Amino acid sequence: MATKAPEKITKPKDRDFLNHLETYLSKRDGVDKLLKISRYATKIILASSLIPETRSIIPRLKSFESSVGVSRKAFRLGKFVQDINALRSSRWDSNHELVLLIIAYGGEGLYYFVEQFIWLTKSGLIDAKHSKWLQKISAWAELVGYVGSVSIKIRDLRKLNDEESCVASTIEISLSRGLACDGEDEKMKMIKEKKTLKVLSILQDLADGLMTIADIRDGKGVLSAPNVISSAGLFSAIVSTHKNWISC
């Protein structure tokens, strides 16, 4: 029986930019993160001395920043469902991992759920007197979610480090024996890319967590300074945009 010739692995063609952009903008997260970039870039301009306070554009920039903030909340309608489904489809090896998953997805899910009502208060449908305590619940739930999320990602990063060490050992043994290791080199490249994205994701959660703490503390403290919070928000938005662009 004749053996089948090995299939040639071809590198897929790069996707057309405009088609990629269309796919990106069709997702709620894609538009939401672009709005986030717009909002925090505006906040940085307002917090700096780039524009004199006497200029008439200042009130318009403040109005734009506020409107974008309310618009972003509309993109969170029903988003808590994705956390429920993510928790349902999760796999865990121990009770400790299960607890982390519940903290991460439970906290984020509660945050998105409460954000719907905050949007309704901002829109004028619900009495604004409920806004303050809703925002407190939302902020604490978000912070709890970030604690769980960072813990899970640190665990995943350790697993990637172990996997990287294993692949590195395999490559070293193959080279010492004069064997080809193209497959392992490609695997190592993929692991490094995953590690980079995981580290960026952890930094993003820490930046978002910093903004959440500022909300809980009502803007008090050195780390709650407008420049610091605006920079953290812009960094988080750029990282999110990069991840979403790659994923779609």
Side-chain angles (χ1 to χ4, degrees), residues 81-135:
V81 177
Q82 75 180 20
D83 290 288
I84 296 174
N85 288 333
L87 183 58
R88 290 174 59 202
S89 60
S90 297
R91 298 291 180 268
W92 57 89
D93 298 324
S94 65
N95 290 333
H96 176 69
E97 291 186 1
L98 174 60
V99 170
L100 289 180
L101 289 169
I102 293 174
I103 291 174
Y105 292 123
E108 186 180 70
L110 178 58
Y111 160 70
Y112 284 132
F113 183 77
V114 176
E115 280 289 289
Q116 299 174 121
F117 296 98
I118 294 177
W119 173 68
L120 292 175
T121 61
K122 297 283 186 183
S123 302
L125 187 61
I126 296 179
D127 197 328
K129 68 181 181 181
H130 302 300
S131 178
K132 189 171 183 179
W133 65 268
L134 283 172
Q135 288 176 341

Side-chain angles (χ1 to χ4, degrees), residues 10-135:
T10 57
K11 185 179 179 180
K13 294 181 179 179
D14 291 334
R15 189 174 187 180
D16 179 77
F17 173 78
L18 290 179
N19 287 335
H20 196 161
L21 181 61
E22 179 185 0
T23 303
Y24 178 82
L25 293 176
S26 68
K27 298 179 180 295
R28 88 157 94 189
D29 280 345
V31 178
D32 179 53
K33 300 315 174 188
L34 290 180
L35 289 174
K36 188 175 182 179
I37 289 176
S38 301
R39 185 186 184 200
Y40 284 101
T42 304
K43 275 180 170 286
I44 288 176
I45 294 173
L46 289 171
S48 67
S49 57
L50 294 175
I51 303 176
E53 287 287 341
T54 55
R55 296 294 295 271
S56 60
I57 195 174
I58 295 294
R60 282 183 282 173
L61 285 175
K62 289 181 178 179
S63 176
F64 172 77
E65 183 272 324
S66 178
S67 297
V68 171
V70 176
S71 298
R72 288 192 63 219
K73 293 185 184 301
F75 282 94
R76 293 162 189 171
L77 290 174
K79 199 172 181 181
F80 68 94
V81 177
Q82 75 180 20
D83 290 288
I84 296 174
N85 288 333
L87 183 58
R88 290 174 59 202
S89 60
S90 297
R91 298 291 180 268
W92 57 89
D93 298 324
S94 65
N95 290 333
H96 176 69
E97 291 186 1
L98 174 60
V99 170
L100 289 180
L101 289 169
I102 293 174
I103 291 174
Y105 292 123
E108 186 180 70
L110 178 58
Y111 160 70
Y112 284 132
F113 183 77
V114 176
E115 280 289 289
Q116 299 174 121
F117 296 98
I118 294 177
W119 173 68
L120 292 175
T121 61
K122 297 283 186 183
S123 302
L125 187 61
I126 296 179
D127 197 328
K129 68 181 181 181
H130 302 300
S131 178
K132 189 171 183 179
W133 65 268
L134 283 172
Q135 288 176 341

Side-chain angles (χ1 to χ4, degrees), residues 97-216:
E97 291 186 1
L98 174 60
V99 170
L100 289 180
L101 289 169
I102 293 174
I103 291 174
Y105 292 123
E108 186 180 70
L110 178 58
Y111 160 70
Y112 284 132
F113 183 77
V114 176
E115 280 289 289
Q116 299 174 121
F117 296 98
I118 294 177
W119 173 68
L120 292 175
T121 61
K122 297 283 186 183
S123 302
L125 187 61
I126 296 179
D127 197 328
K129 68 181 181 181
H130 302 300
S131 178
K132 189 171 183 179
W133 65 268
L134 283 172
Q135 288 176 341
K136 286 293 182 182
I137 295 174
S138 172
W140 277 108
E142 187 179 15
L143 183 60
V144 169
Y146 286 136
V147 170
S149 178
V150 170
S151 300
I152 291 173
K153 288 170 183 175
I154 290 175
R155 179 205 63 184
D156 293 341
L157 191 59
R158 287 172 180 165
K159 290 181 179 179
L160 286 172
N161 285 331
D162 293 340
E163 191 175 348
E164 183 181 27
S165 299
C166 182
V167 174
S169 299
T170 303
I171 292 174
E172 185 178 352
I173 293 172
S174 298
L175 291 176
S176 65
R177 295 178 179 177
L179 301 175
C181 52
D182 294 340
E184 298 301 324
D185 286 338
E186 188 64 27
K187 189 174 182 181
M188 176 66 80
K189 182 181 177 182
M190 291 177 62
I191 292 174
K192 289 183 180 296
E193 289 175 353
K194 287 181 180 179
K195 282 182 63 179
T196 300
L197 288 175
K198 192 66 68 175
V199 170
L200 285 174
S201 187
I202 291 172
L203 293 176
Q204 178 197 348
D205 281 350
L206 292 176
D208 285 331
L210 178 64
M211 292 189 292
T212 304
I213 291 173
D215 288 339
I216 292 173

